[in-house]
Amino acid sequence: MVPDSGAVPSHSGGATDAGRLLSAEEHAEYERLRGAATLRHRRVRRLGATILLLAALLLAPLAVVAAWVHDTVSDTDRYVATVAPLASDPAVQKLVTDRLTDRVVEQVDVEAVTASLTKVLADSGAPPRVVAGSEALTGPLTSAVRTVVRRNVDRVVTSDLFQQAWEGSNRRAHAAVLSMLTGERQGALRASGDAIELDIGSVVDQVRQRLVDQGFERAAAIPDSDRTVTLFRTAELNRAQGTMRVLDIVGTWLPVLTVALAALAVWTAPKHRSMLLITALGIGLMMVVLLIALAAMRRVYLDTVPAATLPPDAAAAIFDTFVRFLRDSTRTLLVVALITALAAYLYGPGRAAVGVRNAARRGAGAAGGALSRAGMRVGPVGRGLAARRTWATGVVIGAGALALVLWNHPTVGAVALVLVLVLAALAAVAVLVAVAAADPPPDGALTRSG
């Protein structure tokens, strides 16, 4: 007798129990226990996925901020690109013009000039009315000096020369500070232990060569030792360098850890598509929270900066310029999260999702049928693509995701471009599959396949 599906092997290993049929009550109990074990397994997986998801969501804003800080602090080109727009901002230009004008006018002692003029007029026997009038020239003369100085300063500040000088000075300063923080032996300003040293080797070489050229041949024997000058020592240098090393690690690996946790949450969950939808929406929500936090920080910053120290419009321009790349990255991640959530929903059983898929399928079928009637043939390659449509779709979506990962600081525009290309590629695959369906294989192929 062959046991039916209700027969189960005995744990005792006896030959007599191996083929024994389960009664209806035993089979029901077996199914109940198996269902309970499956339910317990799903609950454990759901709990693990929830924990991983919460960790990923909590780390997501921190990862974005850490990556932004790391790029700004450790990349001179990125830092210069961050601060470069400040040189052309009208509010900042006005601030610089006002400050430089005040500095220059302060150096001009208008009262001394007026006093000298009054003395000269008095000594030369000028009428008393003229002498008294010269004493009142301080105000108009100060205003005239300020007008002339401001006009010239404004002409310089609004020119391309100021933009170039601004970027050049920021590049040199950032490179010097970065060299100190990372301990690299590059540039004129270096860090050694707790000391900040200035490398004067190039100056020594130039002086030695000029002395030799002028006939002081013994100058060639100037030693190469002591080519550095210690500017100052600070006990905080080691701490700053340690902070830089931590930032380098956090800014590089925290985003990777966050993505890994989110991927593990999707993989661990019993329902992958549903967890992908929840994860994408959660990350999108965290990006919205980060944007709100940036807006709140902006308000707090503007309220705490005294107007006498920094005008409100200039303070707003400086804040917006410094955090604009952080805002751009946050918005980009928000758009990517929403697109991912929409894609996960469209692959689900919802009525709207099914309707969209059916409409797309009918459109692709109509286009494929029209192309087939027009004489288009896809051949064995197209038929192979039709047989592996799922793989082709996965490759297209994976290529789009890889393009965004490899894109250097993608923007919302870059995401839109990649999305359009992916949709176009998916539409092309669907049309080719429809053409292959409307193009029957040759008789020989049918015979071989039969």
Side-chain angles (χ1 to χ4, degrees):
M1 180 179 65
V2 179
D4 60 9
S5 58
V8 294
S10 173
H11 293 289
S12 62
T16 303
D17 296 336
R20 185 172 67 84
L21 293 176
L22 295 177
S23 64
E25 294 79 4
E26 291 174 332
H27 183 71
E29 180 65 14
Y30 168 74
E31 291 295 336
R32 187 187 69 80
L33 293 176
R34 187 173 66 172
T38 303
L39 180 61
R40 190 180 304 111
H41 179 65
R42 291 172 65 88
R43 286 177 177 174
V44 171
R45 290 180 60 184
R46 191 178 294 112
L47 177 61
T50 302
I51 295 174
L52 291 171
L53 175 61
L54 290 177
L57 295 183
L58 292 176
L59 290 178
L62 299 178
V64 175
V65 174
W68 168 71
V69 174
H70 175 261
D71 288 346
T72 304
V73 172
S74 63
D75 189 340
T76 299
D77 292 334
R78 187 71 168 173
Y79 171 78
V80 174
T82 299
V83 301
L86 289 175
S88 58
D89 186 270
V92 176
Q93 289 179 342
K94 181 178 181 301
L95 174 64
V96 174
T97 301
D98 291 343
R99 297 290 171 84
L100 289 179
T101 300
D102 293 340
R103 291 287 182 86
V104 174
V105 172
E106 287 174 359
Q107 304 302 317
V108 180
D109 194 349
V110 178
E111 294 182 354
V113 173
T114 305
S116 298
L117 177 61
T118 301
K119 185 176 183 303
V120 170
L121 291 176
D123 293 343
S124 61
R129 179 178 300 178
V130 175
V131 175
S134 66
E135 296 177 351
L137 289 177
T138 302
L141 184 58
T142 301
S143 177
V145 170
R146 176 176 293 277
T147 300
V148 173
V149 171
R150 181 179 180 82
R151 184 185 303 117
N152 287 275
V153 170
D154 182 71
R155 190 175 302 166
V156 173
V157 171
T158 57
S159 66
D160 294 337
L161 180 62
F162 178 73
Q163 179 79 30
Q164 297 172 2
W166 175 272
E167 294 182 11
S169 60
N170 275 280
R171 181 177 298 277
R172 289 189 296 270
H174 187 273
V177 173
L178 182 61
S179 177
M180 285 190 299
L181 292 178
T182 57
E184 295 180 357
R185 305 294 294 178
Q186 297 178 358
L189 204 60
R190 301 177 180 178
S192 178
D194 61 347
I196 305 299
E197 298 178 343
L198 179 65
D199 186 359
I200 59 173
S202 59
V203 178
V204 172
D205 294 338
Q206 293 179 12
V207 170
R208 181 168 52 194
Q209 186 60 43
R210 287 192 178 186
L211 291 175
V212 171
D213 294 341
Q214 293 177 6
F216 296 94
E217 297 181 356
R218 293 184 177 274
I222 295 177
D224 289 336
S225 59
D226 298 330
R227 296 168 65 91
T228 59
V229 176
T230 300
L231 300 179
F232 60 90
R233 295 182 180 273
T234 173
E236 301 296 327
L237 180 58
N238 290 333
R239 182 180 301 177
Q241 290 177 333
T243 303
M244 184 63 189
R245 285 190 290 268
V246 172
L247 177 62
D248 187 48
I249 296 173
V250 172
T252 301
W253 292 107
L254 189 57
V256 176
L257 176 62
T258 304
V259 173
L261 289 174
L264 284 174
V266 174
W267 179 77
T268 305
K271 297 180 179 180
H272 303 312
R273 185 195 61 82
S274 299
M275 180 54 72
L276 177 61
L277 175 61
I278 295 173
T279 302
L281 291 177
I283 291 179
L285 178 62
M286 297 308 295
M287 294 303 102
V288 172
V289 171
L290 180 56
L291 289 174
I292 295 175
L294 288 176
M297 289 176 58
R298 183 181 189 272
R299 185 70 268 165
V300 172
Y301 168 75
L302 294 180
D303 290 341
T304 55
V305 175
T309 303
L310 201 61
D313 54 349
I318 292 173
F319 183 89
D320 293 339
T321 299
F322 266 97
V323 303
R324 77 182 191 283
F325 285 138
L326 177 57
R327 280 202 187 108
D328 291 344
S329 299
T330 306
R331 290 167 181 158
T332 300
L333 286 176
L334 174 60
V335 172
V336 170
L338 293 179
I339 292 174
T340 304
L342 179 61
Y345 172 76
L346 291 178
Y347 273 93
R351 180 178 301 179
V354 173
V356 170
R357 293 202 302 269
N358 290 336
R361 190 179 298 111
R362 287 193 297 269
L371 292 175
S372 179
R373 289 190 297 272
M376 180 178 178
R377 297 292 180 267
V378 294
V381 176
R383 288 189 290 272
L385 179 65
R388 300 171 178 82
R389 180 176 181 175
T390 303
W391 283 97
T393 302
V395 168
V396 171
I397 296 176
L402 182 62
L404 289 179
V405 171
L406 298 180
W407 199 301
N408 188 22
H409 302 106
T411 60
V412 175
V415 174
L417 175 61
V418 172
L419 177 62
V420 169
L421 294 177
V422 168
L423 291 178
L426 291 177
V429 170
V431 171
L432 288 177
V433 170
V435 173
D439 179 21
D443 295 339
L446 287 173
T447 303
R448 288 191 297 270
S449 64

